[in-house]
Amino acid sequence: MPALEVPRKIWTREEAHALADLGFPNASKLELIDGELLDRMGKKRPHVLWQHLILTWLRAQFSDERVQMESPIDVSAEDNTRSEPEPDLIVTAKSIRDYTGNPPPQDLRLVIEVSDSTVNYDLQSKAPLYARAEIIEYWVIDIPDSVVHVHRDPARGAYTSVVKYSFSQEITPLANPDALFCMERL
């Protein structure tokens, strides 16, 4: 007997926002990706530590006004109706004060996910989503394997350059060629 397929609800951004407006418990802890509402699970201590250290470094390189933590962003027009990701960290082209809504993809200079238990999801689901939006640079901080997956050069829905750096190697973000990022030195 074949496995029974369970029907699933594909959510829109509008419907997800309505949950919060209706007072749905924990609606603020849900992230909409490709029509699925995902529980942004509690963060483990290593995630919290690395996120804080990277946030501090980013603010020193780009200013407090251009760096945001766990803020919703827009993606490509085709994905925007059913996705509203909230990356761990973003660097924008302009000050946070200049945005009345979510920052659009063309203003995102760097998007970072800090991953301890979601590495595969961040690499397999979020990377294509961000590439379709033509976000110029996407990093996945892979805590279990002590590497940083650097995605660049989006084209036709995929990143054409994906390089893994060990925590001891230096990375230069495209948005600030004078900055040298190294996980071991944070």
Side-chain angles (χ1 to χ4, degrees):
M1 178 186 272
L4 189 61
E5 184 136 342
V6 178
R8 294 168 49 170
K9 164 77 173 127
I10 301 299
W11 295 85
T12 66
R13 188 185 278 202
E14 185 178 302
E15 292 169 329
H17 287 192
L19 287 176
D21 295 342
L22 292 170
F24 183 78
N26 298 322
S28 64
K29 293 185 179 189
L30 298 174
E31 182 177 29
L32 181 66
I33 304 292
D34 291 328
E36 293 187 45
L37 287 172
L38 305 171
D39 185 357
R40 293 183 308 153
M41 43 187 145
K43 309 227 188 292
K44 296 177 185 167
R45 194 70 200 152
H47 183 285
V48 172
L49 172 65
W50 284 117
Q51 185 176 11
H52 174 74
L53 293 173
I54 296 165
L55 174 68
T56 302
W57 183 86
L58 288 171
R59 286 184 169 161
Q61 304 307 312
F62 295 100
S63 86
D64 290 350
E65 295 287 314
R66 292 184 51 211
V67 178
Q68 298 174 46
M69 185 170 69
E70 299 174 2
S71 295
I73 62 172
D74 282 346
V75 287
S76 69
E78 69 212 40
D79 289 321
N80 236 12
T81 58
R82 65 183 190 285
S83 293
E84 189 174 33
E86 296 182 24
D88 288 315
L89 299 158
I90 61 172
V91 176
T92 56
K94 301 182 278 189
S95 166
I96 189 172
R97 298 168 196 268
D98 294 327
Y99 299 101
T100 56
N102 296 347
Q106 65 270 19
D107 280 6
L108 297 169
R109 297 298 178 251
L110 177 59
V111 171
I112 298 175
E113 295 287 358
V114 178
S115 302
D116 50 6
S117 60
T118 60
V119 175
N120 289 336
Y121 188 79
D122 292 335
L123 293 172
Q124 295 169 10
S125 295
K126 287 193 174 179
L129 179 68
Y130 296 153
R132 286 192 302 272
E134 297 185 355
I135 293 171
I136 60 171
E137 188 165 22
Y138 170 51
W139 295 1
V140 176
I141 310 296
D142 180 344
I143 296 170
D145 289 335
S146 299
V147 296
V148 180
H149 304 263
V150 175
H151 300 74
R152 293 177 174 157
D153 302 321
R156 295 178 304 286
Y159 283 101
T160 60
S161 172
V162 181
V163 178
K164 286 198 290 191
Y165 293 86
S166 73
F167 277 14
S168 64
Q169 290 180 290
E170 292 179 336
I171 307 166
T172 303
L174 295 175
N176 186 347
D178 295 329
L180 294 176
F181 176 84
C182 178
M183 289 289 287
E184 280 188 357
R185 285 196 224 128
L186 292 181

